[in-house]
Amino acid sequence: MSRPPKTPPAAPERDRSGDRVRLGDIVKGIGEALPEALKVQRGLWNLAMTKPTSIGSIGLRLQQLAEATPHATALKFDQRRWTYAEFNAWANRVAAACRVAGVRRGQVVAILQSNRPETLAAIAGVVKLGATAAMLNHNQRGAVLAHSLRLSAPVMLIAGEECAEAVASLADQHAIDSACIQAWDGGDVPEGWLDWPAACDRQPSGNPPETAAIQQHEAAFHIFTSGTTGLPKASVMSHYRWMKGMAGLGQMTLRLNGDDTLYCALPLYHNNALTVCWSAVLADGAALALSRKFSASRFWDEIRAFDATAFCYIGELCRYLLNQPPTPRDRSHAVRLMVGNGLRPEIWDEFQSRFGIQRIAEFYGASESNLAFVNGFNLSKTAGFCPLPYAIVAFDADAEAPLRDKRGRMKRVSSGGIGLLISEISERAPFDGYTDKRANEAKLLRDVFKKGDCWFNTGDLVRDQGWRHIQFVDRVGDTFRWKGENVATTEVEAALNQIAGVEQAVVYGVEVPGCDGRAGMAALSWTPARFDGAGVAAQLRATLPAYAVPLFIRLRREQEVTATFKFRKVDLKREGFDLSKIDEPLYVLDGSGYKKLTAALHARVISGGLRL
């Protein structure tokens, strides 16, 4: 029975005048965590004992909870509920069905489904068998989605009926190998496809023997991320990294209880949902409340309906919630904790105060990164602390590369400075990399501080806040974030270059007041006298995910290049869509197509009156 919502305590008071971390704040944060010292100690112990060669996996953890707390709620969705015993049995039937279909330990199963219980059960069943779940982005279509599928080379594809359009685009690309087992979840089963729910229902619900033998270094997921090469890369998430997240973020930082419910409206193909949320829940046998998708207008109603005590966020989500009209019920909920990344410093205090959130566990991490920062001391405006070796090095914005001295070595920035975040690769902090081994070398920096060392390039600029804390500043290179997604500029440029009239396309991200991340902008060398804004928008929407379609277009006679014939993006980024600095035609995506950016439209963009 759901308990009535309570009003959480007001946000904790502390000095938030700057971005530097003070020793007094850390001491205060440690004091706040003392009542839960046993949980912190258990997390520390598990973090220390977690080794790549140890037996242990996500599926084994689920099995342990099903045995220890069989009647506790594991999953909530709409009006339905599953206990740990029920959900574990469901995952076991999925694992058995995969085995019968021919899937074996170490192979890959691609999953193309939206947020629903069947998706999480499929993931759990696949990893219980010792296989890898490749989490395809169901927003992608055509060549991009086909590329993702080919990267993972799956022996099986599980697709949901809600993704019929995406599946059709794969067929158009001839991307589904004839040897790949095709399983359909829901609705009328297409010819040649396996009726997946029926296949699972026929299987026994006992724990698969494979689960007890899985070592932590084995791959659990493929998470697709855009990089500097344009098309998605499949980063490998091992059970080892997932288990470290469960210990460090789940047990040491979030410290959920068995009667807690963590609400997740983020897509399951993102690590924020699949690793952060699920590991935090499985750390102490709490419940995961899964939403079909994020809605700013329904968010708090769903929080109350699920009786959630925590939720996961990305920065854009918080800004959308803050932009909703205030109501008397803003604090009428049971949430005491939120976990996520990208909460911008300028809205941190306002969000925490308006909604009465007691603790914000901001973190920093990436799907392919070998380290993470976590705000474990409940500080303000920080991505947190990391005990692993890392460095923040001086960065040349014009060259978009770290600076090296005459000896070829990099230099750390001083406390308070901004630079490129890099992390040392070691046995305890391995780089799992990508399925495409050629993509790995591009992310590695060698001979950084001494001959022979090797560091991972995060591609992110951060501020050194002192006391081993950082604050995220911006992405660098040819990738930027918009609407919570990584946008690869080369992918967008490739789409633009297919449009008649475009000679050269240069894509970059620009800041928009009141928005998180950077909006896409394209500078086009355009030959026809007339620019067909509606036609260009229609072609881009047909080939790109909605979040990757540029919001602004700038027409030019020719592009400026560097001495090495690279497009000069620094000035383009600096000028953005500022009418006072640009004497070339500018367009903004409004409704059915691109419209001339007039002073009136520009004012609406700046004020937030134009929906982007």
Side-chain angles (χ1 to χ4, degrees), residues 480 482 485-488 491-492 507 520 540 544-551:
F480 59 88
W482 180 248
E485 301 279 0
N486 286 336
V487 179
E491 176 189 338
V492 182
V507 176
L540 290 176
L544 293 172
Y547 58 79
V549 176
L551 269 70

Side-chain angles (χ1 to χ4, degrees), residues 399-559:
E400 293 190 338
L403 288 170
R404 291 184 182 259
D405 61 21
K406 294 179 180 179
R407 298 184 304 118
R409 304 293 186 252
M410 297 183 192
K411 180 182 178 182
R412 288 178 168 87
V413 302
S414 57
S415 180
I418 295 174
L420 178 71
L421 176 65
I422 62 176
S423 60
E424 188 172 18
I425 297 173
S426 65
E427 183 178 347
R428 295 290 291 182
F431 173 54
D432 292 327
Y434 306 100
T435 57
D436 181 1
K437 300 305 179 185
R438 294 171 299 177
N440 290 339
E441 193 60 32
K443 297 295 291 185
L444 303 181
L445 298 170
R446 301 186 184 278
D447 302 330
V448 172
F449 298 114
K450 61 183 179 181
K451 187 174 179 60
D453 64 0
C454 184
W455 295 68
F456 172 74
N457 180 1
T458 67
D460 289 328
L461 296 177
V462 300
R463 176 179 285 105
D464 184 345
Q465 294 181 292
W467 297 99
R468 297 190 68 81
H469 282 68
I470 66 165
Q471 184 181 80
F472 176 80
V473 175
D474 202 0
R475 291 284 294 167
V476 299
D478 292 326
T479 302
F480 59 88
R481 284 185 70 79
W482 180 248
K483 301 294 184 183
E485 301 279 0
N486 286 336
V487 179
T489 60
T490 46
E491 176 189 338
V492 182
E493 288 167 354
L496 282 162
N497 285 326
Q498 297 300 312
I499 298 175
V502 176
E503 291 184 351
Q504 292 175 322
V506 182
V507 176
Y508 45 98
V510 294
E511 292 182 336
V512 179
C515 294
D516 285 316
R518 291 177 181 266
M521 185 166 182
L524 306 180
S525 299
W526 184 262
T527 51
R530 180 178 177 272
F531 177 71
D532 182 7
V536 170
Q539 290 184 68
L540 290 176
R541 284 168 170 158
T543 56
L544 293 172
Y547 58 79
V549 176
L551 269 70
F552 302 96
I553 283 182
R554 174 176 178 175
L555 300 185
R556 322 191 75 193
R557 290 184 177 178
E558 60 182 2
Q559 306 286 2

Side-chain angles (χ1 to χ4, degrees), residues 61-79:
R61 179 57 185 160
L62 177 60
Q63 178 180 319
Q64 291 167 346
L65 288 169
E67 294 168 351
T69 58
H71 304 299
T73 301
L75 179 63
K76 301 178 180 182
F77 183 81
D78 290 344
Q79 303 302 315

Side-chain angles (χ1 to χ4, degrees), residues 211-227:
T211 305
I214 298 171
Q215 292 184 325
Q216 294 189 23
H217 66 81
E218 296 181 49
F221 313 128
H222 286 170
I223 303 294
F224 294 89
T225 175
S226 295

Side-chain angles (χ1 to χ4, degrees), residues 142-371:
V144 177
L145 183 58
H147 175 80
S148 297
L149 188 67
R150 293 187 182 109
L151 279 180
S152 287
V155 298
M156 184 175 188
L157 169 64
I158 302 174
E161 61 177 337
E162 71 277 15
C163 298
E165 184 182 325
V167 171
S169 75
L170 285 173
D172 293 341
Q173 295 288 323
H174 307 290
I176 305 177
D177 193 288
S178 58
C180 181
I181 306 154
Q182 299 172 48
W184 191 262
D185 190 349
D188 296 331
V189 181
E191 185 179 351
W193 287 70
L194 178 66
D195 185 337
W196 189 238
C200 294
D201 288 343
R202 292 193 293 265
Q203 303 307 319
S205 57
N207 292 310
E210 292 90 343
T211 305
I214 298 171
Q215 292 184 325
Q216 294 189 23
H217 66 81
E218 296 181 49
F221 313 128
H222 286 170
I223 303 294
F224 294 89
T225 175
S226 295
T228 55
T229 58
L231 290 170
K233 298 185 192 127
S235 65
V236 180
M237 170 61 70
S238 65
H239 290 273
Y240 173 65
R241 287 176 58 205
W242 192 96
M243 299 289 283
K244 285 204 305 181
M246 184 178 72
L249 185 58
Q251 293 173 326
M252 290 178 60
T253 305
L254 301 188
R255 307 187 292 275
L256 297 177
N257 301 311
D259 60 351
D260 276 316
T261 294
L262 193 155
Y263 171 80
C264 176
L266 304 177
L268 285 170
Y269 60 76
H270 270 191
N271 250 336
N272 278 35
L274 201 54
T275 295
V276 175
C277 290
W278 204 23
S279 72
V281 163
L282 294 188
D284 284 285
L288 178 69
L290 187 63
S291 176
R292 293 180 185 274
K293 63 180 181 179
F294 170 72
S295 167
S297 61
R298 296 195 310 267
F299 184 88
W300 292 110
D301 288 337
E302 289 193 353
I303 286 279
R304 287 184 278 266
F306 285 125
D307 199 19
T309 53
F311 69 82
C312 188
Y313 69 87
I314 54 174
E316 293 87 345
L317 181 152
C318 297
R319 196 180 291 274
Y320 296 151
L321 293 176
L322 206 54
N323 288 340
Q324 291 290 299
T327 75
R329 302 190 73 194
D330 279 345
R331 287 190 171 207
S332 179
H333 55 75
V335 173
R336 70 176 188 279
L337 166 70
M338 53 189 275
V339 56
N341 60 334
L343 179 58
R344 302 299 294 181
E346 64 267 21
I347 68 169
W348 187 301
D349 292 344
E350 183 183 359
F351 189 92
Q352 189 170 22
S353 175
R354 173 175 164 181
F355 297 109
I357 308 297
Q358 186 176 6
R359 193 150 59 92
I360 298 178
E362 173 86 0
F363 71 89
Y364 168 88
S367 297
E368 68 274 35
S369 180
N370 65 335
L371 89 170

Side-chain angles (χ1 to χ4, degrees), residues 29-67:
I30 293 173
E32 292 173 355
L34 280 178
E36 298 175 301
L38 289 177
K39 285 188 178 182
V40 176
Q41 290 175 4
R42 184 159 62 94
L44 275 170
W45 171 260
N46 289 334
L47 196 61
M49 298 305 293
T50 298
K51 297 178 181 178
T53 55
S54 301
I55 296 294
S57 65
I58 301 165
L60 185 60
R61 179 57 185 160
L62 177 60
Q63 178 180 319
Q64 291 167 346
L65 288 169
E67 294 168 351

Side-chain angles (χ1 to χ4, degrees), residues 370-386:
N370 65 335
L371 89 170
F373 288 76
V374 182
N375 183 15
F377 302 119
N378 195 22
L379 308 184
S380 178
K381 304 174 185 175
T382 180
F385 166 89
C386 178

